[in-house]
Amino acid sequence: MKNVLYVPLDDRPVNLDDVIVQGRSAGIHVIAPAAAYIKNRLDSQKTSSGTVLLTTSSPAYGDTAAIRQFVLDHAASVDGFILSADMLVYGGLIGSRRLRTDAGGAYPAYDATATDLLDVIREVKQAHPDKPVYVLDTVMRLATTAFAEGLDLAAYTESRNFMLQPRRSFTEFADILGGYNLSPTDVYGDPATFDKEQYYNARRHKFKTNRYLLEELAQEGYIDFLAIGVDDASTQGVQINEIHYVEARIDEWLGGSGGQNPDKAIILPDADGLGQALLARMANQLYRNGTATRCTVEYFGPHGSTLTSPYEYMDVHQNILRHLDIVGGEAAGDARELEIIAITAADQALAAVNRIEDNFARCVPSLVIDCVGAGAADAAVTEALLGSRQTGSLLGYSGWNTPGNKIGLALGMAQARYAFTVTETAPAALDAAVNAHGSLLFKRFLKDYYYKRLAIGEIRTYSRAHSLYENTAAFADQNMLLFNSPEDYSYLQDLLRERMQKHTDTLFCKNAFLNVCAAPASAIRQIGGGGWSLSQYSSAALPYDDPDYLWGRAFEITLNPDVTLQ
């Protein structure tokens, strides 16, 4: 088993738990820092007056010094590194957005603490030049973080709308830093719910970190591949100059073309899919020496080039192609090794299922991206998929959140699995990996549809109806530890666990995972010799006390089903 050191974007399951299971599905032991080192949480303290919430405070961020030492302590014993710059420098994604009273000094000596933390990348590459070092970074999103350091939902909404407004175009680094408040013809006024200058300082500091990674580390050869995700983006606004600057530097410093270099650096709309995408690239490097996987993209509904999410600046098709670059794949014609099935219209779901079944008969591995559902898997698409026994054979699937997230998760899952199944021959390793893959595929449906589309509505309704404060009743589920009573929070935990137990049983009885003697659902165990071997789904269990609200909000939950195949 390969060992990969992984510093995650934060400790949410999509960035930690799922990456670890994905690693097991590809025969990789993912070694992450201790939970205490990477713990991120929203505000945990509050003040109130009667039935009115006054303030919130005291979030939690990662321990950057401990994480740096963790990387150094384990560097000699691993086969590769996947490192989040946001966690290394800021203690996680929400830490990178913290409002700041200053933006640091002049680049490149803008912050000695920050650059010392970043330079651990240089240290491990110098000490271990033959080990791949992959880094994920983000361009700061438009909005502030709701309920972190006292910023509320009104600040989130106003900040996103404010930062969405068009900015004057600049290409020089200093001009971009100084031009955040300039409209195309004038200057912007002051928002009511957050400190604009402190927000701009946070952007300036983060943008300096973006540049440092590109210029001082990637250009100098200390980063083998840099994936830059633009978190919560748009086709205009305060990010656009930063995006164009990064694209130009990828061309100038890293030999790219059109702002991208599939061998060295990619920038695209995503954040929470980058860990899994880079793990896929790592698996492909460790097992296949980076040989590109030939992929085709088939749309069932409108072509992806006609679809752009309001939370992204790139159309779906370009986003798929750029994610292919990250995972180590390439778009190809009919000589495909892996087919990407992108469902973009609910009424085409059955046609997509027919394609999955045809591919199965021809031994062409498939992955599915549900681009219909906004934020959660679409009901019609999901039921069509779960009605087919061949859905259990998918190498990847996602229906969760933005198009970029869905693409990164599904494609990362599939590419990692493909790299393993075409190279591994040991029976014990194949057995352990197929169980992990079955568990992750099962979880994707359990979370993306049964939780995010079904159960979450009941949870949100109860939380809001039982808000402790009249001014949080519309959004109490965004911090239930503070906005609901301990008794109601306990009830919400029980409600979650009861519902997910029932949904687990329901899901395992769907054709995609059903074990019946005549035609049991199966997963691909190994690929080779012009065909593949299969393992049959045998059981699925969800520990009763496992589902929980890790960050005290309904948006994400821990969910770790255990699926076995034979």
Side-chain angles (χ1 to χ4, degrees):
M1 178 173 272
K2 302 294 185 181
N3 295 305
V4 172
L5 189 150
Y6 175 58
V7 173
L9 186 61
D10 55 35
D11 62 346
R12 287 174 296 144
V14 67
N15 293 317
L16 183 60
D17 297 358
D18 296 354
V19 179
I20 292 171
V21 178
Q22 179 197 4
R24 294 206 303 266
S25 79
I28 293 173
H29 178 210
V30 174
I31 301 171
Y37 296 170
I38 55 175
K39 180 179 179 180
N40 276 216
R41 295 294 184 270
L42 300 176
D43 284 346
S44 59
Q45 302 296 320
K46 63 184 177 180
T47 62
S48 62
S49 176
T51 60
V52 176
L53 178 77
L54 298 178
T55 65
T56 66
S57 62
S58 302
Y61 306 111
D63 185 337
T64 56
I67 293 166
R68 187 187 194 283
Q69 190 59 49
F70 168 85
V71 173
L72 295 175
D73 290 345
H74 291 81
S77 61
V78 300
D79 299 293
F81 305 83
I82 301 173
L83 308 173
S84 163
D86 291 281
M87 182 61 79
L88 285 175
V89 178
Y90 303 102
L93 182 61
I94 61 173
S96 71
R97 308 177 196 138
R98 298 176 72 181
L99 302 191
R100 303 176 66 94
T101 56
D102 68 80
Y107 178 88
Y110 67 101
D111 184 330
T113 299
T115 55
D116 181 63
L117 291 165
L118 288 169
D119 283 343
V120 73
I121 298 169
R122 188 194 316 266
E123 292 181 46
V124 297
K125 192 60 179 177
Q126 288 176 329
H128 308 282
D130 296 328
K131 297 181 180 182
V133 176
Y134 301 157
V135 174
L136 57 142
D137 188 27
T138 62
V139 170
M140 184 175 154
R141 79 177 190 181
L142 298 170
T144 57
T145 303
F147 307 113
E149 299 190 342
L151 294 168
D152 59 14
L153 190 61
Y156 167 90
T157 303
E158 185 182 23
S159 61
R160 190 171 198 279
N161 291 335
F162 189 90
M163 299 306 164
L164 266 173
Q165 301 307 307
R167 260 54 179 186
R168 198 170 304 174
S169 178
F170 293 109
T171 59
E172 296 299 318
F173 187 72
D175 292 338
I176 295 171
L177 291 176
Y180 286 129
N181 200 50
L182 299 180
S183 76
T185 60
D186 203 346
V187 298
Y188 286 107
D190 294 327
T193 59
F194 69 100
D195 188 310
K196 177 182 64 177
E197 288 306 316
Q198 290 189 4
Y199 173 96
Y200 290 148
N201 283 336
R203 288 212 78 87
R204 293 180 182 111
H205 194 278
K206 187 67 176 74
F207 190 38
K208 292 171 188 177
T209 295
N210 297 145
R211 179 175 175 178
Y212 192 90
L213 286 160
L214 281 162
E215 185 174 25
E216 301 296 329
L217 297 174
Q219 182 181 215
E220 298 301 320
Y222 300 113
I223 296 174
D224 293 298
F225 190 83
L226 176 62
I228 304 172
V230 185
D231 185 26
D232 178 18
S234 182
T235 54
Q236 67 174 30
V238 75
Q239 296 168 322
I240 292 299
N241 286 330
E242 296 173 342
I243 293 168
H244 291 164
Y245 181 88
V246 169
E247 291 172 337
R249 300 294 81 75
I250 289 175
D251 289 352
E252 178 186 356
W253 294 337
L254 304 180
S257 176
Q260 311 284 356
N261 186 333
D263 296 322
K264 293 184 178 180
I266 293 293
I267 179 171
L268 81 179
D270 193 7
D272 291 334
L274 294 181
Q276 294 187 47
L278 284 178
L279 186 62
R281 187 182 187 93
M282 183 67 71
N284 198 54
Q285 179 64 36
L286 295 178
Y287 293 130
R288 305 176 68 220
N289 199 31
T291 301
T293 303
R294 299 187 305 276
C295 302
T296 56
V297 185
E298 298 292 338
Y299 289 99
F300 291 83
H303 193 275
S305 61
T306 67
L307 305 171
T308 301
S309 166
Y311 289 92
E312 298 184 347
Y313 69 95
M314 183 183 288
D315 68 58
V316 166
H317 188 64
Q318 286 299 312
N319 210 339
I320 289 176
L321 296 180
R322 300 293 73 79
H323 274 93
L324 265 178
D325 292 336
I326 293 179
V327 304
E330 63 179 5
D334 290 336
R336 61 191 178 279
E337 297 169 292
L338 182 63
E339 184 165 290
I340 301 166
I341 295 173
I343 305 174
T344 57
D347 61 5
Q348 295 298 304
L350 289 177
V353 169
N354 290 337
R355 182 72 175 195
I356 296 168
E357 293 173 345
D358 289 345
N359 284 346
F360 184 86
R362 293 180 289 118
C363 292
V364 176
S366 303
L367 69 98
V368 169
I369 306 165
D370 175 1
C371 297
V372 178
D378 178 76
V381 171
T382 303
E383 292 299 339
L385 290 171
L386 293 178
S388 172
R389 297 198 186 283
Q390 274 63 63
T391 294
S393 71
L394 293 175
L395 291 195
Y397 161 79
S398 180
W400 177 76
N401 220 31
T402 66
N405 296 153
K406 298 176 183 189
I407 296 163
L409 300 182
L411 193 51
M413 182 180 177
Q415 167 76 330
R417 184 70 182 146
Y418 181 82
F420 177 80
T421 56
V422 299
T423 56
E424 184 58 66
T425 59
L430 291 166
D431 289 344
V434 77
N435 285 337
H437 175 72
S439 298
L440 186 56
L441 182 64
F442 190 89
K443 175 182 177 171
R444 288 262 62 88
F445 283 100
L446 188 61
K447 177 186 175 183
D448 297 3
Y449 178 63
Y450 285 97
Y451 179 69
K452 296 295 288 187
R453 181 64 66 187
L454 301 181
I456 195 172
E458 185 178 5
I459 288 161
R460 282 175 168 162
T461 297
Y462 183 92
S463 173
R464 295 172 187 183
H466 294 79
S467 174
L468 290 172
Y469 310 106
E470 58 190 48
N471 58 331
T472 64
F475 48 80
D477 56 286
Q478 295 207 26
N479 196 328
M480 298 182 295
L481 281 168
L482 294 187
F483 305 155
N484 293 119
S485 69
E487 294 77 16
D488 282 328
Y489 187 80
S490 179
Y491 174 83
L492 286 162
Q493 287 180 307
D494 292 340
L495 178 63
L496 169 67
R497 291 163 181 168
E498 290 292 335
R499 293 298 180 266
M500 297 319 296
Q501 286 295 321
K502 292 179 180 178
H503 289 317
T504 297
D505 294 341
T506 299
L507 178 57
F508 194 64
C509 289
K510 296 292 185 179
N511 286 341
F513 300 103
L514 187 63
N515 185 338
V516 294
C517 295
S522 302
I524 298 170
R525 182 174 182 270
Q526 185 181 20
I527 300 173
W532 54 36
S533 63
L534 303 172
S535 293
Q536 299 175 1
Y537 286 92
S538 177
S539 66
L542 181 69
Y544 183 82
D545 60 353
D546 168 68
D548 206 351
Y549 310 106
L550 182 69
W551 280 22
R553 62 181 183 177
F555 185 77
E556 66 265 308
I557 59 169
T558 56
L559 196 64
N560 293 292
D562 182 18
V563 173
T564 58
L565 297 93
Q566 60 186 15

